[in-house]
Structure formats: structure tokens, C-alpha cells
């Protein structure tokens, strides 16, 4: 817990904690021992003995972290501690043929895999919320806004369907990366697995299987394309979340008032305030997540067979990207799951310009008779007179006989709740796509 | 041409130029007219007439760009110019039901698609170069280096196979994005295609087919996950290229001298210098490409139905990311295609420590008889005496009878060209994966 | 001119163009010749002859740029061209003792210096606009908004004074960097000025004076702290500009309508739209400027005596940062200089909550008699009843006798135009600070 | 302590910890109470009573952090807790007239101020190390390297003087920001200090004085130029540190071997390895620091009177930037303070090209008699023959009678230890500048 507004669910905190990294490193050592026992490289009882000592409670995290900083990575002191733990007879079987980077990289992929599973679930929650909003508000008229100016009507269902689509695209990326790109790392000192000789490939295969990670074509000690791919998936999650949070903040403005967070930040001294606190924090979390993603993207190339610094900068960047994106999407799931929608304000805001946001539709209606150019000109004139005319834009249009539109036709064109079928169809289509 | 060291191939310059953007916007307008004619929204002859005027030579880029800045995007003045060009009878059929963002976004995807096709080809060239290097140097011994310190031997074929693997992974991403994620944009004012009524979905389908782009589930005016995905693919290209260029710079150092660029920057006043100029520029280009990718990743969420600034910041960021990544990978294709490999220097450098880089192997050899712990201790002692002993490390080992190794065994362990079969197998495996 | 929405004033385009860089490199060569003539290193007539050939019209930019990419920087081919131009007798006096980086770095500082002078001027224009707004609207009531929710009243003069303060702080940075940190570069091959022997220090001193740049303590070939400082100043300019543009976009929303750009983007089909086009583009330009600043900040350290890539990435990053920040502040100067302020809407929006935004003030007024805790409780109760009560919040307060406030006292507390003296004092103070 | 390789000195950990932020927030509340008592706004005994309760041990950090996330910032629950602590009589005097952002921003400046004081000290340590290196190695010949290729000789003292200059420039920035730019924040709800009425300015003045921070011209709730300035100073620190660490890594390469970290990472299995562990970690730390600086630079503008997200993203970004830059410079101070310099290897490496790196000097020597063009041509010919000639470059030059140089003259030109006076003068000049 810190003062940083990182609104992390407990299970995600646990998944990316120091203890989680330690467990993942021990998982890698156990998987290595098991793989080597299966391949006949070390005796089965040695692997069993090692596996029994791959428990986090046997090691002191602070001590390992401190020693890890002295030598440059946390796997080195862990291997020494594990060797001490298993005793002199077995110690030479521990970490046989591996290098520290094998353990740290495999652990990083395990932590990432476990965290992406949670993030996948939060994406699902958020999608459910958006689906409900899209269903409930399939036909609820709302002002479409471009460059934050009122443009023409749409439905709030379309807004929610757009949020949903972004979440689905992010989820596809997350699943693709998690299922096909997270690979075990095993290469030994410089990535040739030379110590294992002819058994190297078989051990590598078994090791990946033990870890339930993919088997890479070769060790990726200094080929980090996969790190870019992880960063890309997390950036997509953070961006899809930020899009929703940003829209909620904008639609929650006092002057707009079309939605509000149910649990939103009341204020004892300012009773009218309904601060969109969760959205504001989700935006901050998403920004942090994307900062770390950009750091991963922008990292210097990894030099020769092991990078001198860029590798060491990856661990906390990865954790930061996961936590930022994870907190953002978790927050957004809560927000959309409990969003209060004020249909009345949506309707009121549609009338704010007195029909001017429908001027284009009036011109289209008139163009059937008098052509588009002429129609545009007359409607524009009426729009300019709208503020002076007593009857507003409607009155000005009625006073424009050249348009060739009856009062009924004008009223139909000026009704923001008419003509929303295309919007409704879009909502249906997006919802149906999810049923497949 | 500018003083910026952006080493762009002409075809890529042409593909991302202002003229290319103009052509892509006109392609979008033509596709829209054709789609609407096919759907019966506008008359076929109108579509033909419009198509005849979708030629770049009819428009003044500078004028469009200047006017575009006044109104906020270049499509708006283009639509006006196109309407003027087709004349009063047809003008109302131009851009029917569309909004500026439909045209700019579709054009952006066309430019991206065309550029990614070139980048895919450059990735192929670079892969060929790496395949040749991996084949030719499958067994060429070289020092593996971690944290830029000599570690243990590998082969230069493994280095090239690692480069190759990164390039292949980047290519998979590029192809995936190009073939499945680049979607046509068509939504009208706020993304509901309302003007087209019931024909909207059909027009959208035909429009995407005309453009040979994917049809999205719904308009993506302010859902920009795909932009993140494009950025991710380009960042992967830039990173895979930068990895190679960085290794070439490091291996080209005067003190290392294991590779050199064939065309490399000679100097009239410093005749010994072989500057790795192409690699240096590829690094700068890759850095710029990744900067733009990070800008796309870090862009603020797009507000409501059209962003107020973030959208406008995308166009040159996209072009910058394409050009940076494209220049980097094109440069790297040239570099690896003509790389001079100095096997002699690789061999000399392997001997630089007088066998110390093989100390671990000596200890393994000895451990069969005396156990690993004892072996390590004796070998470490010998290593420490190495500088004093006349015979160096070899001499010190010969003077360590407790090791239980014969002179022949010691010489075998100290030979850096022995025991490289695991490295060779890795090279074979990577090369075979490419044949499939 | 490109489709990129970079709204650059012509004079800034000229200042950072290829021609401007060429001129600056020639300025550096001329200054070097003059300095060496003054120090007696080369004959005076040689310097004169060189100076006569330091004219941009004698050289082909495209050719120099193309050759520059072959060798890695544009100064090298320029020196060759200049030597050819001055002829065989004088050629050895050209560029005597210098290296390419001396010329490129000095040129970069000249370009930066000239551009910062313009940016300083635009900051001045923008400040004038803000000063006028602060003066005119010193007492114009407006709703203060936190987390984009209405909070309590302030004056629009305070808003403008805040903008002004940011601009002033950015200007201080720009001036500080321009006047004290932009240094001439002269070090020869590896930064020791060895070719000039004992005359090195004197030539370096005269060279800096000729260029009207600072004289650094030693060559800064690979110490780039000054680049960070330039990036910092430009980032401050871009941020101060973006703050203003962002506020204008928010206050221009249809539902807020408190300000509008005078020249703002009308729409033929949507006559009610007043797109804040200039602000939107200023936001995009500022984002690009800050992207380049971050690229300069994040650049890898420069290796040993000259960087292998990071140096080459600086030139266009510097130009990009200047152009982005420059376009943003120039746009903002136009925006604030012609901003339309709608005092009526400001007043209407203050009443939007029916006095609720002044609940805290009512509680303070009541607390004199009944204590703060009790006052808060009663006011909160009244606020909750406000929607039901016929008389709104005011009615509810009148129906709360325990408050001990008369109708007059309640009305005074609910009047948003009362109690703005502290705001007015702030405006006065900021304006007076500018007069000093 | 975490597995992240953030090599933070304990005192810096303490200075930026949650407890440090809590203490700083309490410092702000106490300062506010004292200022208001001095101005007669609250009774003196209330201020005393409040001050007695501004002790960190009275509050539960986890609880405050948790509640802070619910409402969006940690000051809000702290104020409530402080009010509970002081009891009903005094509670209304707590936080009087202030808003949460006043407390958080002031606390951020206090934390920054305290951390910058430490960073200033580390910069001093690192400077001492560089001064010693520059003094000791004023005349130690070393190869100057550009684009990582051997160029011409310089002295290691010049390298150290360059490092020193970067550190000094960063220190100037740090001190400037700390002494003149860190301002107290006090503005109340929307930055007008309205609750304090006429006493506002006096309270603001006293509050800043109590905190030993600057008094700003007006509240800076959403004008964040100072945040850019802090980021700029920290980026300069991180960059100056990274430059040194990067050079140490490069000069430590097995093939170069000119320096090594005294404490450097030995390896039991690879006894020859001297990993530059501290430098590698300093590079990672500096990268993280600059990532956070870029995040601060790139933050979206702060909306209206308080940002909806960008403000909340600042706190951990600021802490991250401080910790990254602080860890980097602290590590570098250790590195340069104990750097082992191998003069012998420097000398050996100078001879690696057999004199070719001095070809330019030979040409200069010959040019006195035969002109530079002719001299260059003959020397280049000799350089090309150098590998074939038995006597190497020297032999080839001796076999070039047209040069007009005696064997003694050739030997003098080829002696890398001759002609280093300009380098030595540079070192003297930089060291003397520090004495002033």
C-alpha cells in the first residue's frame, strides 16, 4: 500500500509482488530439475529433493534482493541459497547448465502469464458492463460530439458498443500474447546450451512443457521482440480503459451530467459535487501503464549475448506496465458495471441548440425538392436568424417558405429521437458479434 | 532530401509522401462513390465521373495542405476541390454520407498498408542476409559476450540465427497487422452512418472491399486500439533492426574487429578508421521510429466521437514511425547483405584471456574424477596464478596435479573450437524452421 | 507544406529549414576561419576568401544531404565542397583543426538560438493576450472547476492570470538557455584541439565570440546536458501552450460555451458548430513538440568521444521539438489575442446548480452562530432536499430555521458575484508583477 | 527492498518513502496552522495543538493510503484523521481555507527539496572522484574513440574532465531548481484563497516561509511548468550519470580493459570475468529515472482548476524520477571513487593499429615541406601498404622518401605520448574552474 493512486485489486498485487517473482524463479528451477531428470541428466531423486526446496517460505526476500543488487540480478543469490538448502550431495544438480538470465526471463514470463490471465478476466467484466449498457441504451438518444462540440444525435448504446469493441480488440491481443508468445528461456552462459550437450534440445523441450510456456526456436537472451509484444498488448488494454474513463469524465461534467459514477466522490463541503474519482484514477493508472510500455518499447537494443543495463531495466518496467494497465481496466470494469445513466439530461442536452444540431438533416429533407446547394443556403440563413427569431431555429425555418417543407416535415427533421435506426443496427451488430 | 540522416529508400519516400496521402484520400473518395453506386445510393455515371477526377495531378497539394490547416484536416478542402472539379450536377454525390475522418483514417490505413508491404520485403532481404551469415558461419568460433565481457565460446552462426529470429518475429507481426487489422473507416458525422439509412451496412461492406481493407465491426473514430497495434509492429521492426546494428557497431570496434561494413566510412585523414556508418544511421533511424511509436502508444484517449487533438497528432506520427522503422530495416538489410566477417580476429580474440574463458569447462572435465566443488577450487587457484606462471593458465593447470587431468585432456578443454556442436545444432534448427 | 497539421509561422519554417542548417554550418566555418586568422593560425586573406564562399547559394542542399547520409553527417561533404570552392591555394585553411561534429553542433546551437528568439517573441504575444484578458475580466465571475466538476466561483481574470504565469515561467527558461547555455563547439578529432596546439584556447575563445555563442569550459562532444536543458525549455513552452489550448477547448464545449475562438471552424452543414480548430491543432503541435523533447531526454548516453547513433538522432529531434513548441505557442498567441468571451454564459453556468456550488459559503456564514459542524449538517440536509423543494436550494435553506440566517444573509451567500475580492487581488498582483 | 535493481542509498529511500510523504503532508498542515495563527486567523493555542498532532506515528499509513484511493488523494483522509486527533474544539481550525491539492503539492515540493539536497551531495561525491581521476591521469595517454572506432590519442584526464563537466552542469540545474523554483501551494478550493479573505496573501506568505519554500506569484494548481523544470534537472542528473556508466562499461570490455570497477562482479565459474555490475545497474536506474522524467514532460495539460488524472499521475512519477536519478548518481559516485585504471592497457591499445591512428599527424608533419595534399596522398599510400610491409606502417613510411621526413621525425609523429599538451591544458582549465 502506498500513496500512489494505484487502485490494484489484491489478487493482482499478489501476482506481481516480490513473492510472486520469487515463486516464479523457484518454479523455473524446479522445472529445470524435473526436465533434466526426465532427460536422464540428473538423477530423479535429486530432482525430487530440489523440488521440495523450491518453496518461497525457505528464503528471505530482502536478503536475496540485497545480494541480487550486488551481483546484478536476483537469480544468482537464489541459486546459491537453493544449493545450500539442498545440501552438498545434490547441490551440483541445481541450476545445471543454466545461467541466471534463464531463470529471471522464465520467471518474468510466468509472472506475465499469470497477470495476463487476471487482466483477461477484468476485460471480460468490463465487457459485460458495456454489453449491458449497450443493450439497455440501444435506443437512448444522446448528442454525438466531435472535437467536444455537439454534432448530430446518436444513441448511448453506440457509445457503449464502441467501448466494448476496444475492449474486445485488447482482449484478443492479450490472449494471443499469453497463449502463443510467452516462451521459456533456457540457453546457458551464452545461449548455446553447451553444457547439456546432445541432451540440450530435449531438456529445453521438457522445461518449457513443465512451465506451461511455449518453446522458442532458440534462446532469446538478447532478442526481445516478445517484450515489445507484451508491451503492445498492455498498452492496448490501458488505452481501451483510458478511452472509457475519459468519456465518463467528460459526460460527468456538471454542465453535461449525462452519466455519473454510482460510488462517486461526494464532498461534505460541496454537496453538489459528484467527482468521477474512479475514472480519474483509472486515467492516472493507464498513463503510468503506458509510460512503462513506452519504456519497454524504447529500450536500447540488448547488446551481444546479454545486455548491459537494458535487461536489468526490464523487470520493474514489466511489473509497472502490468500494474498500470491492470489497475486501469479493473477500475473501468467497476465504473461501467455501476454507471448511472441520466437519460433525461441526454434528452435535455439534445435540445440545447434549439434544433441547430439537426440543421443538416433539415437540409437533406429539403434537398429532395430544391437541390442540396439551395437547401444548404436557405437552412444556413435560417440558422443565422435563429437567435433573433422568436421561435428560434424552428420558427426561422417555418419562415423560410422556399424550403418547401411543411411544419410536420420540419418537426420530423428536428426531432432528435427520429432516425436512429442506423445507430440501433450498429449496436445490434456489435452485440451479436459477441454472442458468436 | 534533408540533413536528417533518414536513409530512406526512394520507394518508401514515395509511399509516405504528401502525394501518397493525397492519392490515398482520393482512393477513399473513389471507393466510396463506387460502393454507393453499387448499392444504388448514387447513379453509376456519377461514380464514374467522380472516379475520373480522383487523380492527384488535378489538385494542388500546397493549397490543400494550407487550407487543411485552417479547418483542421486535409480531407475537408479536398472534398470541396473534388466537388468543384466534378461540377454542379454531380457534386452532391461526392463524399455522400461521409465525414472528413472517414477519408483521412481510410487513407492512413492505405498508406500504412502500402508501406508495410515494403517493410515486409526489406525484412525478407535482411533475413536472407542473416540466413547466409548463419549458413556460412555455422561453425565459426566466436567469443560469446555477456554484459560486454567475454564469457564462453559460441559460433557466429548462432549470432546470425538470433538476428534472424528477431526479424522473423517482427515480420509475423507486420503481416498479421497488414492482413487482418487495417480497416476501412466509414461512419459519417458521429459514426452511425445515419445519412445512408438502411443502405449503410451494405455501402460500408462494399467500400472496404473496394479499398482492399478489412471491414470493421463498427466505425472506429475514437477507438484507436489498431493504432497501438500498428505502432507495436513497427516498434518490433525497429527493435529487431537496432539489435543487429548495435551488435555490428560493437563487433566493429577497433579493439574487437570481428566484422566490418563493406562500404564503411573510410576517412582520408584517418586511414585506419572503418566507421560503421550504416549501422550508426540505422540506430538513429530506429530510435526515431520508436519515438514515434511511443508517441502513438502514449497518445491521450480520443474524446467522445472525435478527438480534439490526439487524432490530428496521429498522421505525422504514423508517417514518422513508418519512415524510421523502414529506414532502419532497409539499412540493416544492406548491412547484413554485405557484412565482412573476420574469422581470424574472432579466433584471436578467443585466445585473449589465455584460456581463462574456458576455465569452467576445465572444471567440468576434472569434476568427473574429483567432484565439482574440489574441481572449482583448484581451477580457480590456477586461474589466479595464471598471470604469474610462465605458461599462463595452461601452465598453471599443468602444475595442478590434483586435477587429475592429462595434458591432452587440458588442451582439449582449453580448445575454443571444440564442443560447439550444440551451437551448430541451434543454427541448423533455426535455418530449417525457415525452410518449412 | 505538408498535410501534417503543423501550423508553423513562415519565419519559423525558414529558421529551422535545411537552408537554415546549411547557413548555420557555413556561419561556423566562417567564424572558424576568422578566429584562426585573428589568432594568426591562417593568413587573413585566406579567411576573407573562405568567408566569401560561405554563402548558401553556392551549394546544392540535396547533394550535400545525400552525400552526408553516405558518410554519416552533412558537415563532411560541406567541407569538401567548400574546399573545392575556395581553390587549391586556400583549401588547407578551411576547417583547419576542426572535426565535423564541431560544425554540426555549433550550427545546431545557432539554429536553436535563432529559433528561441522567435519563440521568445511568440511568448510575448501570448502574454499580451493573456494580460488583456486578465485586465478585462479581472472581475468577471466564472465557475471554478476541479476534476471538471463545478466547484466554487472565481473570475475569468484569475484563469487568464494563471495562463500568463505559465507563459512567463516558460519565457524565463527560454531566455536563460538562449543567453547562457548555448555554446560554440570546437574540439577537433577527439575534443582536445590538438592540431591547434598552444593557440587552441585562443581560437576557441574567438570562435565563440564570432558566433555570439557562449564559450564552454571544454568541448562537449559527448557531454549533452545542454541538450536536456534545451529540451526542458521547449517542453515548458509546449506545456504552457497546451494548458491554454486545453482550457479553451473545454470552455468552448457546446454545453459550456463560455469562450470561443473568433476565427473558429464554422461548418457549412452544421451551422451551430464553432470548432476550436486552432486550439485543437495547438494541442497536436504541443504533443509533437513534447514527444521530441522526451526523445532528447531519453536519448542513450553518448559513447566515449563521439556517439554511435545518439548524436545522429539529435538533429531532427531538435528541429522537431522547436517546430512543435513553436507552432503551439504561436497558435496560442493567436487564440488568446482573439478570444471571444461570453460573460452571459459564464453567469448562466454559475446558476446551473441552483446555488449548490455555494453551499460551503452558506455553511461558513451559518457557522458563526451555530458552529461549523452543525452548520455543515443542516446545509447538507438542505442540499439533499433541494431537488424536491419547490424553491430549490434557496427554498430549502429558507426552510431550515436552525441555520440562524436571514433571507438577506442567505441571498448574499448564494450570490456568486459576491466575495470575489481575493480573486481580483490575485489578478492585480500578477499583472503588477509584469509591470516591474 | 525489491528485486528491482534500484540501488538506492538508505537515506534516499527514507526521503521518498510513504512515511516521508506523510511527514511532508503533516509539515504542510502544521505550517498552515502556524501561518494562520501568526496572521490572527486562528488562535495561537489551536495552532500549537495542531502542531502537536502533526507527528507521523499518530497515523496509519496503510489506512490513509487505502482511504486516499477511495476519494482520489491522500490528503483528504489525513485531514479527517487530523481533525479527529485534535478534537471537536480545534477541528475547525485544521486545514482552514485549504484544499487537498494545497497539501499534496506542498508535500511534493518538500519531498523534492529534501531529495534534491541528497542528490546534490551525491553529485559532489561523484565530482570528487572525477577530479581525482582527472588530476591523477592528466597526462595518461589513451585512445580517443569516435563512433567507437579508435581515432587519435587524448589523455584519460580529459575523459574524466568531460565527466566532471557534465556533473557540474547537472548540479547547477539541481541547485537552481531547489533554491528558486520549489514553491509552497496554497489556494483553497479553486486557487483564489477566497475563504481567507483579505488575510489570504499574508497567510500565503507566512506559510511559504514556514515551509522554507518559495512563495509563488499565484497558486499553481494547474500551471505545472515547475514540474517540467524538476524533471529537466533530474533528467540532467540521470544523463550525466549514464554517460559515465556507459563509458566505464565500454572501457571495461575484455578486449579494451582500460578500466574496471574495483568491487566488480567476480564469477566463481568464470574467473576472468570482471562484470561492470555497478555501471550496468546505474544505467538501468538512469533509464528508469529518465522514463519518469519523460512521463512528467509528456503529461497531458492540467484541466481548468484541477486536473482529472494528470495531477494524480504526478506523485509516483516524481518519486520514480527522483529515485532513478538518485540511484544512478549515487552508484556513479561509488564507481568513479574506486575506479581501477589500467595505464598499461591504455598504452597497449594505442599501439593496436601500429601507428595508423597517428597517420594524420605524420601527414601534418610532412605538409610543412610538401603541402598537405601531397602529404595526405603519400601517407595514405603508406597506410595501405602497412599490412604487407614487414615493418608495418612505420616501415612503409620509411620507404616513402617523398615525404621528406627523417626516421626521427617519423618516430616522433608516431609516438602517441607526444603532443598531448593541449589535452593537459584542458584538464587544468576544468580543474581550475572548480577551484574558483
Amino acid at each position: 500500500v502506498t500513496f500512489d493512486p494505484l487502485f490494484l485489486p489484491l489478487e493482482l498485487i499478489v501476482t506481481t509482488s516480490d513473492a510472486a517473482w520469487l515463486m516464479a524463479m523457484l518454479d523455473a528451477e524446479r522445472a529445470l530439475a524435473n526436465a533434466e531428470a526426465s532427460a536422464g541428466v540428473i538423477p530423479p531423486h535429486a530432482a525430487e529433493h530440489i523440488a521440495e526446496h523450491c518453496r518461497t517460505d525457505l528464503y528471505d526476500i530482502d536478503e536475496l534482493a540485497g545480494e541480487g543488487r550486488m551481483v546484478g540480478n536476483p537469480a544468482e543469490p537464489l541459486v546459491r541459497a537453493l544449493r545450500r538448502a539442498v545440501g552438498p550431495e545434490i547441490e551440483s544438480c541445481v541450476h545445471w547448465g543454466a545461467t541466471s538470465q534463464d531463470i529471471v526471463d522464465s520467471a518474468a514470463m510466468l509472472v506475465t502469464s499469470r497477470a495476463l490471465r487476471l487482466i483477461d478476466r477484468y476485460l471480460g467484466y468490463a465487457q459485460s458492463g458495456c454489453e449491458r449498457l449497450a443493450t439497455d441504451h440501444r435506443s437512448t438518444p444522446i448528442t454525438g460530439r466531435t472535437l467536444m462540440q455537439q454534432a448530430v444525435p446518436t444513441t448511448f448504446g453506440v457509445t457503449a458498443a464502441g467501448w466494448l469493441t476496444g475492449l474486445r480488440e485488447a482482449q484478443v491481443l492479450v490472449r494471443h500474447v499469453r497463449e502463443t508468445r510467452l516462451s521459456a528461456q533456457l540457453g546457458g552462459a551464452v545461449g548455446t546450451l553447451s553444457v547439456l550437450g546432445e541432451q540440450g534440445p530435449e531438456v529445453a523441450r521438457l522445461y518449457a512443457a513443465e512451465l506451461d510456456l511455449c518453446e522458442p526456436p532458440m534462446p532469446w537472451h538478447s532478442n526481445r521482440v516478445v517484450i515489445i509484444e507484451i508491451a503492445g498488448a498492455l498498452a492496448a488494454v490501458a488505452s481501451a480503459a483510458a478511452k472509457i474513463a475519459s468519456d465518463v469524465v467528460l459526460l460527468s461534467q456538471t454542465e453535461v451530467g449525462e452519466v455519473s459514477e454510482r460510488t462517486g466522490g461526494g464532498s461534505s463541503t460541496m454537496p453538489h459535487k459528484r467527482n468521477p474519482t474512479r475514472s480519474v484514477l483509472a486515467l492516472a493508472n493507464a498513463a503510468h501503464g503506458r509510460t512503462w510500455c513506452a519504456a519497454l518499447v524504447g529500450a536500447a537494443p540488448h547488446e551481444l549475448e546479454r545486455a548491459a543495463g537494458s535487461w536489468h531495466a526490464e523487470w520493474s518496467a514489466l511489473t509497472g506496465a502490468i500494474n498500470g494497465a491492470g489497475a486501469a481496466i479493473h477500475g473501468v470494469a467497476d465504473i461501467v458495471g455501476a454507471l448511472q445513466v441520466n437519460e433525461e439530461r441526454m434528452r435535455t442536452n439534445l435540445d440545447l441548440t434549439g434544433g441547430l444540431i439537426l440543421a443538416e438533416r433539415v437540409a437533406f429533407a429539403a434537398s429532395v425538392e430544391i437541390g442540396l446547394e439551395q437547401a444548404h443556403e436557405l437552412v444556413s440563413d435560417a440558422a443565422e436568424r435563429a437567435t433573433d427569431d422568436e421561435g428560434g431555429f424552428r420558427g426561422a425555418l417555418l419562415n423560410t417558405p422556399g424550403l418547401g417543407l411543411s411544419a410536420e416535415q420540419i418537426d420530423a427533421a428536428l426531432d432528435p429521437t427520429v432516425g436512429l435506426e442506423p445507430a440501433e443496427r450498429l449496436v445490434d451488430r456489435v452485440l451479436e458479434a459477441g454472442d458468436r
Side-chain angles (χ1 to χ4, degrees), chain A:
Chain A
V1 172
T2 74
F3 289 134
D4 185 26
L6 198 62
F7 219 128
L8 279 177
L10 186 60
E11 61 189 356
L12 190 54
I13 294 175
V14 167
T15 303
T16 61
S17 65
D18 283 345
W21 276 85
L22 174 57
M23 189 172 75
M25 288 193 288
L26 288 167
D27 288 343
E29 292 291 356
R30 181 178 47 234
L32 179 63
N34 287 342
E36 291 182 338
S38 298
V41 176
I42 65 171
H45 77 273
E48 280 163 35
H49 194 66
I50 291 169
E52 281 162 22
H53 292 82
C54 287
R55 283 166 28 211
T56 54
D57 59 314
L58 300 176
Y59 307 93
D60 181 323
I61 289 183
D62 285 3
E63 204 174 293
L64 292 174
E67 288 177 35
R69 273 196 288 280
M70 297 308 293
V71 296
N73 73 74
E76 204 271 1
L78 177 61
V79 171
R80 277 188 282 117
L82 180 54
R83 284 192 173 136
R84 277 195 306 272
V86 299
E89 304 238 338
I90 306 289
E91 69 169 9
S92 69
C93 295
V94 168
H95 194 65
W96 176 255
T99 191
S100 296
Q101 188 171 3
D102 292 331
I103 301 309
V104 175
D105 280 356
S106 295
M109 293 305 99
L110 287 176
V111 167
T112 302
S113 176
R114 290 159 185 172
L116 288 185
R117 194 188 302 265
L118 294 178
I119 286 174
D120 186 348
R121 202 196 304 152
Y122 305 154
L123 283 163
Y125 296 156
Q127 287 171 25
S128 299
C130 290
E131 278 162 6
R132 192 184 54 71
L133 290 171
T135 304
D136 292 355
H137 298 283
R138 173 181 179 273
S139 308
T140 307
I142 188 176
T143 312
R145 294 170 178 96
T146 56
L147 314 195
M148 294 205 234
Q149 293 285 306
Q150 288 200 357
V152 299
T154 179
T155 74
F156 185 56
V158 172
T159 302
W163 296 348
L164 177 57
T165 303
L167 294 170
R168 285 179 182 163
E169 292 172 347
Q171 194 179 46
V172 169
L173 275 172
V174 164
R175 288 184 176 173
H176 174 74
V177 166
R178 203 179 78 77
E179 288 163 15
T180 73
R181 297 294 294 133
L182 303 183
S183 300
Q185 178 71 284
L186 191 63
V190 298
T192 59
L193 269 183
S194 60
V195 171
L196 290 168
E198 296 199 356
Q199 288 151 314
E202 177 65 0
V203 170
R205 193 183 63 74
L206 292 165
Y207 173 72
E210 285 273 339
L211 290 171
D212 200 17
L213 292 172
C214 301
E215 192 195 349
M218 67 180 285
W220 45 284
H221 287 177
S222 60
N223 161 28
R224 314 304 276 185
V225 169
V226 69
I227 301 292
I228 305 272
E229 295 185 58
I230 296 168
L234 292 169
V237 172
S239 295
K243 160 65 180 164
I244 299 172
S246 167
D247 281 0
V248 170
V249 168
L250 290 170
L251 296 175
S252 299
Q253 291 174 97
T254 308
E255 293 84 2
V256 179
E258 299 183 354
V259 306
S260 61
E261 294 183 11
R262 192 156 297 166
T263 55
S267 165
S268 59
T269 56
M270 296 192 267
H272 64 290
K273 280 201 85 174
R274 298 293 298 267
N275 286 329
T277 309
R278 296 299 303 271
S279 299
V280 162
L281 293 183
L283 283 170
N285 294 331
H288 283 178
R290 290 185 299 172
T291 290
W292 283 120
C293 290
L296 289 168
V297 166
H302 283 222
E303 295 93 352
L304 300 171
E305 277 70 43
R306 181 165 312 142
S310 295
W311 177 51
H312 310 76
E314 265 178 19
W315 315 322
S316 56
L318 204 50
T319 302
I322 289 170
N323 284 352
I329 187 59
H330 185 264
V332 161
D334 279 0
I335 294 162
V336 295
L339 197 69
Q340 281 187 312
V341 178
N342 190 332
E343 301 189 20
E344 210 175 323
R345 279 299 290 276
M346 290 179 180
R347 191 69 187 75
T348 314
N349 289 334
L350 277 165
D351 294 334
L352 212 64
T353 65
L356 283 174
I357 64 169
L358 292 155
E360 190 172 19
R361 204 196 281 173
V362 178
F364 282 141
S367 71
V368 180
E369 292 293 321
I370 63 174
L372 195 58
E373 197 178 4
Q374 173 80 346
H376 262 152
E377 200 169 305
L378 292 173
V379 170
S380 290
D381 283 355
E384 272 173 38
R385 297 197 320 267
T387 38
D388 306 324
D389 267 47
E390 284 198 9
F393 185 43
R394 180 173 178 279
L397 290 172
L398 289 172
N399 289 334
T400 310
L403 275 176
L405 294 176
S406 67
E408 289 72 31
Q409 286 174 308
I410 287 174
D411 284 341
L414 289 182
D415 185 344
T417 68
V418 164
L420 294 172
E421 297 79 9
E424 293 167 332
R425 270 197 300 272
L426 268 184
V427 176
D428 295 342
R429 178 173 170 166
V430 169
L431 288 173
E432 281 158 22
D435 292 339
R436 266 178 273 156

